[in-house]
């Protein structure tokens, strides 16, 4: 098995089993063997079972060859005590206090097990509606979303996988305007992705510039009418501002509902690619398309024989997962077993195109996407039919669309295009169907060491063509694109396009090309440059509807504090650790310093932060807690270590990146009640004050400045360039892709 250094790093940190002391107890090979044996062992329950030893080897080879990988919970938990193998679930939220808090309880149980949750809040009566049992008034969906958000925050403090949520509200709900704006502040409802549930009536009203009705879900009465275009424009405005809300086309999703006799689909999983009925789970895996090629007559072509073999094995694997899984709730166990939905997807599509010398932004790429997904969808149905002959059709088959077709399948769905953030890092390929984010980037190996990471296909080609060198690759990393680099031949520039080169039209067209042959949905992010207009966003939303997509997520570069860019070399002002023969010794504290003191509200009260500088730059940090309680010793320790690092020559931006984003449970809890709190923890507050002093130095000469910076706004703000966000775990810049936030350096994901 050939794993990259980064793959090994992610496996050791997130996947490999550890003992009680945190020591790794298995190798990557051991992990794949554990998973293969656990999933194959399910064969014993069936009469016409395949040989478990042979099947174990088949599954093991498929994973160690990196031809197919299941979703992260399966890799993490198969054969281990937790045994929870599903990535995500959808829970119903009914219009009673009992049902609401049952949903919160169930979500907490799921998050504890490592799963994510999707909710529709469309059944809840609107804000201000009468509650007959008490004579009071309802607080509305958004109010309860904040309760769900706080519960998620509390649970995730003790887990290894973060609880992630999807919140959906129908566009005809009376509280839709409040919902659309509920994440206008990036500090609000941080544990949710949100999407507006778009109906056919609404989209038709937008196209005709008509009014549409808002309907009370409790009374079913029309309570108000709104101009559809104004509501649509508000959705666009918010998405342009920070990427949310996304939109899902609810009526279209339900047109494709494979089991309409069971009920209506109201929500999706957190990343939006898996529409699910209440209490269903998603059991996902992805085929590595970069491995589905063969070299023939001096070119790479798709190896359909190998692809079919992998599809059949993967469907078998995922169907077994359904039986082996230890579900967190009995309702989920029952519903999942009754419909047996699986979601086979792909990753490495961009790398496949590089091998085949096909530009991502081309009709040829769209044609290839259509052909490949047509083949996978057909083969997955054939595999499901073969399993049905041996094991029987799924129990709810009589209530499904397959009864009319007389298609006896084992699984209600077989295909999904899911995000593949961390598993694509393990496989060493591009994520999902996304274009490559960058051809080269600077990856952190240790706290003070960086390594230039170059796409292996691009590197091999550059070496063969004779233009590879580290200096040029760093320029590629800094630019994020090959455009404007005269050292690189034009034919290479045409093929090796990245996300920055891909116009929104091609993003949506590619999503639509795959969606035509996918049972569930396609996780995809349309990345816009910072200069994109609201009209650009509006056009993409309408294109997604016209082209047959089930939903769409967009992100405009630099539009929120979790900045997408992960390119460029930020080490220009750093000390080169490798060139030092002796240990670093911090310079002496100067006799005279100047600086600022800022009062910041944290969970424990007021924290007074002093940042001082001299002629050589920022040199020290002090903190003082305004009242008794809290954790003054930890704040002091952070300040002392920060001061030592600053006087040792550590890059200030690097230091800020390490501290910013650290969360404190006390502060997070208090944020819900105290709007004065704009930070996540004491270290986060320290980082933000340091950042303000950095900005002062950029804007003016601090030696000539007598005024304090604005002390009121210390929230999650982007810097002057809009590029502040870093991974909360390793400090690297992060990417927006496939409806999620991914760190390519350490494998951190917003959804995991």
């Amino acid at each position: 098995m050939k794993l990259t250094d980064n793959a090994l790093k992610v496996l050791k940190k997130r996947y490999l089993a550890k003992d009680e002391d945190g020591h790794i107890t298995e190798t990557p090979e051991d992990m794949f063997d554990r998973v293969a044996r656990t999933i194959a062992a399910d064969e014993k329950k069936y009469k016409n079972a395949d040989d478990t030893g042979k099947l174990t080897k088949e599954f093991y080879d498929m994973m160690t060859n990196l031809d197919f990988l299941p979703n992260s919970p399966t890799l993490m938990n198969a054969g281990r005590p937790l045994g929870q193998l599903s990535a995500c679930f959808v829970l119903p939220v009914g219009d009673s206090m009992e049902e609401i808090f049952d949903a919160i309880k169930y979500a907490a149980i799921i998050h504890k097990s490592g799963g994510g949750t999707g909710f529709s809040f469309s059944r809840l009566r609107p804000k201000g509606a009468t509650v007959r049992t008490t004579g009071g008034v309802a607080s509305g969906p958004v109010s309860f979303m904040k309760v769900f958000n706080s519960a998620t925050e509390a649970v995730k403090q003790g887990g290894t996988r973060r609880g992630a949520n999807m919140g959906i509200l129908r566009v005809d709900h009376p509280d839709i305007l409040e919902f659309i704006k509920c994440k206008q502040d990036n500090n609000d409802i941080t544990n949710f992705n949100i999407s507006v549930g778009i109906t056919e009536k609404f989209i038709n009203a937008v196209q005709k510039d008509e009014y549409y009705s808002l309907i009370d879900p409790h009374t079913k009465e029309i309570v108000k009418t709104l101009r559809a275009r104004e509501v649509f424009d508000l959705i666009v405005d918010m998405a342009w501002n920070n990427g949310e809300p996304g939109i899902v086309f609810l009526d279209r999703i339900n047109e494709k509902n494979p089991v309409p006799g069971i009920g209506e689909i109201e929500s999706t999983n957190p990343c939006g690619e898996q529409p699910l009925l209440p209490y269903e789970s998603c059991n996902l895996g992805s085929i590595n398309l970069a491995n589905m090629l063969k070299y023939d007559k001096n070119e790479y072509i798709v190896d359909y024989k190998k692809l079919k073999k992998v599809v059949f094995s993967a469907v078998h694997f995922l169907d077994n997962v359904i039986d082996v899984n230890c579900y967190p709730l009995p309702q989920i166990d029952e519903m999942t077993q009754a419909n047996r939905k699986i979601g086979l997807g792909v990753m490495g599509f961009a790398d496949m195109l590089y091998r085949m010398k096909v530009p991502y932004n081309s009709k040829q790429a769209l044609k290839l996407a259509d052909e490949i997904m047509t083949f996978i969808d057909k083969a997955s149905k054939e595999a499901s039919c073969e399993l049905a002959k041996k094991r029987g059709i799924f129990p709810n088959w009589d209530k499904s669309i397959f009864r009319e077709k007389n298609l006896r399948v084992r699984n209600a769905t077989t295909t999904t295009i899911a995000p593949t953030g961390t598993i694509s890092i393990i496989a060493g390929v591009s994520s999902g169907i996304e274009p490559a984010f960058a051809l080269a980037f600077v990856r952190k190996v240790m706290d003070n060491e960086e390594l230039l990471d170059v796409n292996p296909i691009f590197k091999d080609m550059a070496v063969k063509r004779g233009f590879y060198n580290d200096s040029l690759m760093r320029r590629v990393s800094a630019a994020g694109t090959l455009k404007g680099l005269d050292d690189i031949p034009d034919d290479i520039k045409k093929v090796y396009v990245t996300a920055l080169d891909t116009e929104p039209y091609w993003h949506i067209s590619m999503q639509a090309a795959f969606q035509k042959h996918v049972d569930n949905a396609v996780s995809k992010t349309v990345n816009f440059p910072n200069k994109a207009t609201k009209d650009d966003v509006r056009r993409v939303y309408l294109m997604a509807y016209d082209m047959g997509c089930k939903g769409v997520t967009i992100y405009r570069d630099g539009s929120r504090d979790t900045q997408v860019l992960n390119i460029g070399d930020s080490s220009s002002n750093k000390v080169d650790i490798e060139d030092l023969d002796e240990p670093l010794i911090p310079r002496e504290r100067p006799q005279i310093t100047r600086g600022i003191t800022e009062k910041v509200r944290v969970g424990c009260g007021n924290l007074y932060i002093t940042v001082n500088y001299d002629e050589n730059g920022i040199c020290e940090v002090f903190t003082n807690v305004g009242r008794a309680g809290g954790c003054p010793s930890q704040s002091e320790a952070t300040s002392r270590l920060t001061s030592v690092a600053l006087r040792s020559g550590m890059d200030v931006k690097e230091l800020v990146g390490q501290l910013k984003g650290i969360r404190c449970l006390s502060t997070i809890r208090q944020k819900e009640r105290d709007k004065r709190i704009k930070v996540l923890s004491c270290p986060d507050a320290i980082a933000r004050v340091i950042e303000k002093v950095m900005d002062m130095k950029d804007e003016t000469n601090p030696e000539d400045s007598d005024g304090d910076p604005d002390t009121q706004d210390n929230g999650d703000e982007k810097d002057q360039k809009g590029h502040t966000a870093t991974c909360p775990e390793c400090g690297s810049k992060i990417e927006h892709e496939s409806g999620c936030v991914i760190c390519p350096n350490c494998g951190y994901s917003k959804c995991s």
Side-chain angles (χ1 to χ4, degrees):
M1 180 171 50
K2 194 174 181 180
L3 296 170
T4 66
D5 291 341
N6 213 25
L8 288 169
K9 180 180 177 182
V10 170
L11 284 167
K12 290 176 182 178
K13 185 172 183 178
R14 300 181 179 277
Y15 290 86
L16 302 183
K18 298 179 176 68
D19 61 23
E20 294 181 353
D21 297 322
H23 300 129
I24 295 172
T25 59
E26 65 181 3
T27 65
E29 289 82 3
D30 292 336
M31 179 195 73
F32 288 123
D33 182 68
R34 163 172 57 80
V35 174
R37 288 181 184 279
T38 302
I39 305 305
D42 181 63
E43 289 297 300
K44 297 175 182 177
K45 67 183 287 185
Y46 295 105
K47 293 181 180 180
N48 300 316
D50 291 339
D51 179 76
T52 55
K54 182 180 179 182
L55 194 62
T56 297
K57 186 178 185 305
E58 180 182 325
F59 290 166
Y60 177 84
D61 290 345
M62 181 171 61
M63 291 186 287
T64 55
N65 291 333
L66 305 176
D67 292 333
F68 164 87
L69 291 176
N71 55 209
S72 291
T74 300
L75 291 176
M76 293 173 177
N77 300 328
R80 298 176 67 186
L82 182 60
Q84 204 288 95
L85 312 184
S86 297
C88 298
F89 310 81
V90 163
L91 295 174
V93 184
D95 188 38
S96 72
M97 198 64 70
E98 292 79 9
E99 290 171 305
I100 292 170
F101 278 89
D102 275 347
I104 293 173
K105 178 180 71 174
Y106 294 155
I109 293 170
I110 289 170
H111 294 164
K112 181 183 176 182
S113 76
T117 44
F119 308 93
S120 171
F121 295 94
S122 301
R123 300 186 198 180
L124 301 189
R125 68 192 74 190
K127 187 176 185 179
T130 301
V131 181
R132 294 177 183 176
T133 55
T134 64
V137 295
S139 57
V142 174
S143 173
F144 281 110
M145 282 178 64
K146 293 179 179 179
V147 180
F148 279 73
N149 187 72
S150 295
T152 302
E153 190 68 40
V155 173
K156 78 180 184 181
Q157 298 298 319
T160 57
R161 279 189 104 236
R162 293 162 187 80
N165 302 299
M166 170 64 81
I168 290 179
L169 194 71
R170 288 176 62 97
V171 74
D172 53 13
H173 191 283
D175 287 1
I176 188 60
L177 298 182
E178 182 185 12
F179 177 82
I180 292 169
K181 295 184 288 186
C182 73
K183 294 193 67 175
Q184 188 171 8
D185 184 340
N186 291 327
N187 294 316
D188 289 340
I189 317 182
T190 55
N191 296 305
F192 270 88
N193 295 329
I194 64 167
S195 289
V196 177
I198 301 295
T199 64
E200 289 290 323
K201 285 185 179 180
F202 175 79
I203 205 73
N204 289 334
V206 170
Q207 294 171 335
K208 297 176 182 178
D209 194 14
E210 296 177 344
Y211 283 74
Y212 79 107
S213 302
L214 303 183
I215 301 170
D216 187 322
H218 188 62
T219 64
K220 308 302 181 184
E221 295 178 353
I222 296 174
V223 299
K224 193 175 182 180
T225 59
L226 295 175
R227 187 184 174 200
R229 282 190 182 177
E230 290 181 355
V231 176
F232 190 72
D233 286 346
L234 181 62
I235 296 171
V236 168
D237 288 350
M238 292 298 102
W240 180 89
N241 183 61
N242 67 3
E244 292 193 272
I247 57 177
V248 293
F249 301 112
L250 285 178
D251 290 339
R252 178 171 292 164
I253 286 172
N254 278 288
E255 285 175 8
K256 305 294 184 180
N257 182 359
V259 281
I262 301 300
E264 184 178 336
I265 295 173
E266 300 176 313
S267 186
T268 73
N269 69 326
C271 294
E273 83 280 359
Q274 190 74 23
L276 295 169
L277 292 163
Y279 296 116
E280 280 191 318
S281 62
C282 52
N283 303 285
L284 311 175
S286 299
I287 293 172
N288 179 4
L289 291 179
N291 281 5
M292 301 298 118
L293 296 172
K294 60 182 180 181
Y295 200 67
D296 182 64
K297 298 179 181 178
N298 296 318
E299 65 177 355
Y300 282 100
I301 61 173
V302 180
D303 188 346
Y304 282 108
K305 183 178 179 180
K306 179 180 179 179
L307 179 57
K308 185 172 183 177
K309 181 181 178 182
V310 174
V311 169
F312 268 67
S313 293
V315 169
H316 194 162
F317 181 104
L318 293 174
D319 189 69
N320 279 20
V321 166
I322 294 172
D323 293 332
V324 173
N325 207 339
C326 295
Y327 298 97
L329 297 170
Q331 301 97 312
I332 293 173
D333 191 344
E334 181 181 356
M335 183 63 83
T336 302
Q337 295 278 359
N339 294 329
R340 304 192 69 84
K341 288 183 178 179
I342 61 173
L344 181 61
V346 299
M347 57 182 167
F349 179 65
D351 288 333
M352 168 185 267
L353 294 178
Y354 287 159
R355 290 280 190 204
M356 299 179 73
K357 299 179 180 179
V358 176
Y360 188 97
N361 50 353
S362 68
K363 291 182 179 179
Q364 188 180 356
L366 298 180
K367 184 174 181 292
L368 186 62
D370 185 275
E371 291 174 354
I372 288 173
M373 204 62 219
T374 297
F375 184 89
I376 292 174
D377 184 53
K378 183 181 178 184
S380 68
K381 299 297 187 296
E382 291 176 6
S384 187
C385 288
E386 287 295 317
L387 284 175
K389 292 177 183 177
K390 297 179 180 179
R391 302 178 173 185
I393 54 179
F394 65 93
N396 282 335
W397 186 85
D398 285 341
K399 301 174 183 176
S400 76
I401 60 175
F402 299 104
R403 182 179 180 180
E404 296 179 3
K405 303 175 183 177
N406 196 29
L407 185 62
R408 300 183 66 81
V409 291
R410 176 67 171 170
N411 314 95
T413 66
T414 59
T415 50
T416 301
I417 304 293
T420 61
T422 48
I423 65 168
S424 62
I425 293 175
I426 295 171
V429 296
S430 56
S431 178
I433 63 167
E434 299 283 2
F437 182 77
L439 293 168
F441 65 93
V442 177
R443 178 167 62 85
K444 298 180 182 178
V445 180
M446 296 183 295
D447 288 344
N448 292 307
E449 186 180 351
E450 294 181 338
L451 180 68
L452 184 64
D453 205 328
V454 182
N455 180 287
I457 301 172
F458 177 65
K459 183 177 182 178
D460 288 347
M461 179 278 308
V463 170
K464 289 179 182 178
R465 296 283 294 270
F467 63 83
Y468 182 87
N469 61 77
D470 283 350
S471 175
L472 178 59
M473 293 305 106
R474 286 193 173 272
R475 288 165 58 198
V476 172
S477 170
T481 175
L482 302 184
K483 289 181 178 179
L485 298 177
D486 296 335
D487 312 64
I488 297 176
D490 288 341
D491 65 310
I492 301 301
K493 293 178 184 177
K494 181 180 179 181
V495 171
Y496 287 85
V497 296
T498 65
L500 290 178
D501 303 314
T502 307
E503 295 292 328
Y505 168 82
W506 295 107
H507 281 283
I508 288 296
S509 297
M510 189 62 72
Q511 181 176 340
F514 276 94
Q515 183 62 79
K516 285 191 296 182
H517 312 290
V518 170
D519 294 330
N520 294 302
V522 176
S523 187
K524 180 86 175 67
T525 296
V526 179
N527 282 294
F528 286 91
N530 184 264
K531 65 181 181 181
T533 67
K534 293 176 183 179
D535 282 339
D536 294 331
V537 176
R538 182 181 293 103
R539 279 193 292 270
V540 161
Y541 276 175
L542 293 173
M543 282 171 57
Y545 174 77
D546 291 337
M547 290 185 175
C549 298
K550 292 184 178 180
V552 63
T553 301
I554 71 100
Y555 181 77
R556 183 174 62 87
D557 179 33
S559 65
R560 73 161 70 185
D561 55 333
T562 49
Q563 167 61 28
V564 316
L565 288 178
N566 191 31
I567 54 177
D569 187 348
S570 61
S571 62
S572 58
N573 298 318
K574 290 184 180 181
V575 175
D576 191 343
I577 305 298
E578 292 184 350
D579 292 341
L580 295 177
D581 296 325
E582 299 179 358
L584 280 175
I585 299 175
R587 62 186 175 91
E588 291 186 6
R589 182 194 182 277
Q591 292 296 315
I592 299 175
T593 62
R594 300 186 68 183
I596 66 158
T597 297
E598 178 172 347
K599 181 177 75 173
V600 182
R601 191 74 173 174
V602 296
C604 306
N606 292 324
L607 181 68
Y608 294 85
I609 304 170
T610 299
V611 178
N612 291 334
Y613 50 83
D614 62 7
E615 66 274 7
N616 295 313
I618 300 173
C619 60
E620 62 185 0
V621 178
F622 298 104
T623 58
N624 184 43
V625 179
R627 62 176 174 85
C631 47
S633 59
Q634 286 90 332
S635 298
E636 182 179 352
T638 302
S639 300
R640 288 188 181 190
L641 290 172
T642 300
S643 299
V644 170
L646 288 166
R647 295 202 302 276
S648 298
M650 185 174 182
D651 180 63
V652 183
K653 292 182 180 179
E654 174 72 17
L655 194 65
V656 168
Q658 293 292 335
L659 295 175
K660 200 171 180 182
I662 292 175
R663 295 169 176 261
C664 167
L665 180 58
S666 174
T667 299
I668 297 297
R669 284 174 174 171
Q670 291 295 325
K671 280 184 74 173
E672 295 294 327
R673 299 188 286 269
D674 190 344
K675 295 301 180 182
R676 292 173 297 175
I677 300 177
K678 305 292 185 181
V679 297
L680 304 175
S681 64
C682 292
D684 186 64
I686 292 169
R688 296 180 189 283
V689 178
I690 295 174
E691 205 167 37
K692 287 185 178 181
V693 177
M694 292 165 57
D695 289 343
M696 289 171 57
K697 292 176 68 65
D698 289 339
E699 296 172 4
T700 65
N701 182 352
E703 299 295 325
D704 299 329
S705 177
D706 294 322
D708 287 345
D710 180 5
T711 62
Q712 298 302 310
D713 187 7
N714 49 30
D716 288 348
E717 297 285 340
K718 58 183 180 289
D719 66 14
Q720 301 289 321
K721 298 179 181 179
H723 297 163
T724 65
T726 55
C727 172
E729 295 191 0
C730 73
S732 298
K733 295 281 175 64
I734 56 181
E735 306 171 7
H736 281 257
E737 62 179 33
S738 301
C740 197
V741 175
I742 303 292
C743 175
N745 181 59
C746 71
Y748 163 85
S749 159
K750 180 182 177 181
C751 306
S752 65

